[in-house]
Amino acid sequence: MNILIVSTYFSPNVNIASFRIDAFARYFSRAGHAVSVIALGPRDETVRRDGYTVHYLEDHFGNYSFRDPKEGLRGIAWSLSSTLQSRLMLDSRAMWRLRACAKARELLDREPVDVLLTTYGPLAPHMIALRLRKKGYKFHWVADMRDEMSDHPHHSLHIARRLRRVERIVLREADLVTTVSRPLVDQFRRLCGHDRFLEVRNGYDYEEVRDASFQPRFTLGYVGRFYWESRPDNLFEVLAEMKRRGEIPSDFRFRIVGNHLRLVVPEAIRDNVEQEAEVPHDEALAILRQLDVLVMIHPTGRRGVYTGKVFDYLASNKPILALFDPRDVVADLLAETRAGFVADKDDREGVRRKILECLRLWRDREVLPRDWEKIRQYRRKNQVGILLKHLEATLRRH
């Protein structure tokens, strides 16, 4: 197959969304398919990497993803430009998409593609696919939604209504819609009259850690940023109360690595909480081995959404403490793989009991009986393989 991917998320823009699209390109290519990528980049350039070609295009009107934080007024202007584009056109990359669409037409005029894969967040890649269809280009369009579109809880009602209209068009026109969970598939299905959906989860991309290790001091850790309502305030209060009661070692550690904003920590545990700067992904994976409990926090109300770190955590052989909705997908994942514990982040007594379970494992030098066969399903290669198998079968039929 000849495959073109259009995404604003791609290396060197390092985040969970980029890792997903990087994996599509990498494993499509390694399976023997010709792959090209049009991506947002810090400058205009075309490079070869890992067997495929990436056409990077700079966004002259809002390239804040790559700006130097010391850039001052220019960085502020970029951020304001992106915000304005979002308000007026629902798309923070609306100006970039003009250049990206022109590049896509140039590539398609040179050589047609069998598959066009576009990503959501922002809207630009999907809008490029719609534009190309309108211009008469032929391809099998995969619209990768990943998480919600109009149903994201942080959209205003006005923005959500406007976005819903575009969302219905994308769902109707795409030949296949991919997202990360069954609840999200069901959410999108309600907006259209077809069943052209495929669940393709995120995953991990390193060798599973099968050995056991324990820290001299009981050490919890959170690697990544705290988004929106996913705050550790209740967890801090639970830990402070447990320390006052003597239920947890007084010298326990809670390492928070990579959160951008300084958190306010209760005085009782201020000496226990260590807030560390962001590190590259490879270093973050190494830090997982220096922890006894891997903490995840997610607000209730966003059904079907995984945090990217859960899959890295899965392969680490450390117990996961997920402060999530116990009725949602992460709870099902941890039950399936036997990799950790779940408690609602607002249920302080429930959180306390799960911490005590993690503490017992540490004291007894025990590891959870993970189901490694199920965990290996979440290697990125295997998740991309689900999509590849579907595409190969579909294109053979046509």
Side-chain angles (χ1 to χ4, degrees):
M1 288 184 289
N2 190 7
I3 302 172
L4 174 62
I5 298 172
V6 182
S7 177
T8 55
Y9 293 117
F10 207 75
S11 298
N13 187 352
V14 180
N15 55 38
I16 294 300
S18 295
F19 296 155
R20 178 176 176 85
I21 310 307
D22 288 356
F24 283 142
R26 180 185 313 116
Y27 292 115
F28 288 166
S29 176
R30 290 183 185 178
H33 302 289
V35 179
S36 297
V37 182
I38 298 173
L40 177 67
R43 67 191 65 84
D44 289 359
E45 61 179 341
T46 297
V47 300
R48 288 285 294 176
R49 49 180 294 182
D50 209 1
Y52 56 87
T53 302
V54 186
H55 304 276
Y56 287 110
L57 298 175
E58 182 181 359
D59 183 353
H60 300 301
F61 293 89
N63 221 8
Y64 60 89
S65 297
F66 303 96
R67 76 169 190 263
D68 186 328
K70 300 176 182 178
E71 212 158 16
L73 291 176
R74 189 180 181 196
I76 293 171
W78 273 341
S79 296
L80 289 174
S81 171
S82 296
T83 301
L84 186 61
Q85 291 177 71
S86 294
R87 295 290 177 85
L88 294 179
M89 293 172 276
L90 300 177
D91 187 0
S92 62
R93 300 296 183 182
M95 303 307 292
W96 176 86
R97 96 179 176 221
L98 298 176
R99 305 187 67 224
C101 190
K103 173 58 74 172
R105 294 184 66 180
E106 174 191 327
L107 296 178
L108 293 177
D109 288 339
R110 189 184 309 161
E111 184 177 4
V113 300
D114 302 297
V115 176
L116 175 66
L117 186 149
T118 61
T119 66
Y120 174 65
L123 196 54
H126 289 345
M127 298 302 289
I128 290 169
L130 288 171
R131 183 66 176 169
L132 293 173
R133 276 277 172 89
K134 190 173 182 179
K135 290 291 184 181
Y137 292 96
K138 306 295 184 183
F139 45 78
H140 189 84
W141 177 20
V142 178
D144 182 45
M145 294 297 196
R146 194 166 59 97
D147 295 336
E148 319 99 326
M149 186 183 279
S150 64
D151 281 329
H152 195 291
H154 289 90
H155 290 316
S156 68
L157 183 59
H158 174 66
I159 292 295
R161 284 174 175 170
R162 291 173 59 201
L163 197 54
R164 179 67 60 89
R165 290 194 290 270
V166 181
E167 182 176 26
R168 288 182 185 276
I169 296 171
V170 171
L171 294 173
R172 183 186 71 218
E173 296 296 328
D175 298 296
L176 179 69
V177 178
T178 52
T179 188
V180 298
S181 72
R182 180 54 49 183
L184 288 176
V185 167
D186 294 340
Q187 197 177 99
F188 287 123
R189 186 185 284 114
R190 291 195 299 268
L191 300 178
C192 62
H194 66 74
D195 196 31
R196 300 190 300 271
F197 292 93
L198 188 66
E199 183 181 350
V200 181
R201 299 186 188 181
N202 291 322
Y204 62 92
D205 223 353
Y206 67 99
E207 288 301 314
E208 299 87 5
V209 177
R210 303 292 289 271
D211 61 336
S213 62
F214 302 90
Q215 302 305 303
R217 294 162 57 190
F218 182 56
T219 305
L220 302 94
Y222 182 98
V223 180
R225 305 179 193 178
F226 290 104
Y227 292 99
W228 300 303
E229 293 92 358
S230 60
R231 308 290 294 177
D233 301 336
N234 280 342
L235 177 58
F236 283 164
E237 293 298 335
V238 170
L239 289 169
E241 183 61 25
M242 292 179 73
K243 183 178 178 180
R244 282 192 288 266
R245 292 178 179 178
E247 295 178 327
I248 192 170
S250 61
D251 66 346
F252 82 89
R253 301 172 71 194
F254 186 7
R255 296 180 62 185
I256 297 172
V257 182
N259 189 49
H260 281 201
L261 299 176
R262 197 85 179 160
L263 298 167
V264 177
V265 181
E267 185 176 354
I269 57 170
R270 201 162 290 161
D271 293 338
N272 303 96
V273 177
E274 304 167 14
Q275 302 188 57
E276 305 173 34
E278 186 174 16
V279 297
H281 188 245
D282 288 347
E283 290 183 33
L285 294 178
I287 287 173
L288 299 185
R289 303 193 66 178
Q290 302 166 19
L291 307 171
D292 297 305
V293 182
L294 308 179
V295 176
M296 296 166 37
I297 303 177
H298 192 66
T300 55
R302 290 189 69 196
R303 297 282 295 168
V305 177
Y306 298 97
T307 63
K309 65 174 64 64
V310 66
F311 298 103
D312 282 338
Y313 281 9
L314 270 185
S316 69
N317 209 20
K318 301 288 185 174
I320 298 169
L321 175 61
L323 307 189
F324 273 59
D325 184 344
R327 302 159 299 176
D328 206 356
V329 291
V330 166
D332 295 337
L333 178 69
L334 295 188
E336 172 195 9
T337 57
R338 302 197 299 266
F341 309 99
V342 180
D344 191 302
K345 72 180 183 66
D346 296 321
D347 176 10
R348 295 191 180 189
E349 180 56 27
V351 173
R352 171 184 165 274
R353 288 197 301 269
K354 300 307 180 185
I355 293 173
L356 289 174
E357 291 190 55
C358 294
L359 180 59
R360 185 196 64 77
L361 290 171
W362 173 77
R363 283 179 169 154
D364 294 345
R365 297 304 193 254
E366 290 185 16
V367 296
L368 290 173
R370 273 172 159 77
D371 188 328
W372 288 104
E373 184 175 348
K374 285 191 168 66
I375 287 172
R376 282 192 292 272
Q377 297 174 10
Y378 301 109
R379 287 178 173 171
R380 287 194 182 273
K381 178 181 179 180
N382 294 336
Q383 288 298 306
V384 174
I386 293 171
L387 177 55
L388 263 180
K389 183 177 179 180
H390 177 93
L391 290 173
E392 289 166 352
T394 300
L395 294 180
R396 273 199 304 270
R397 288 196 300 269
H398 292 82

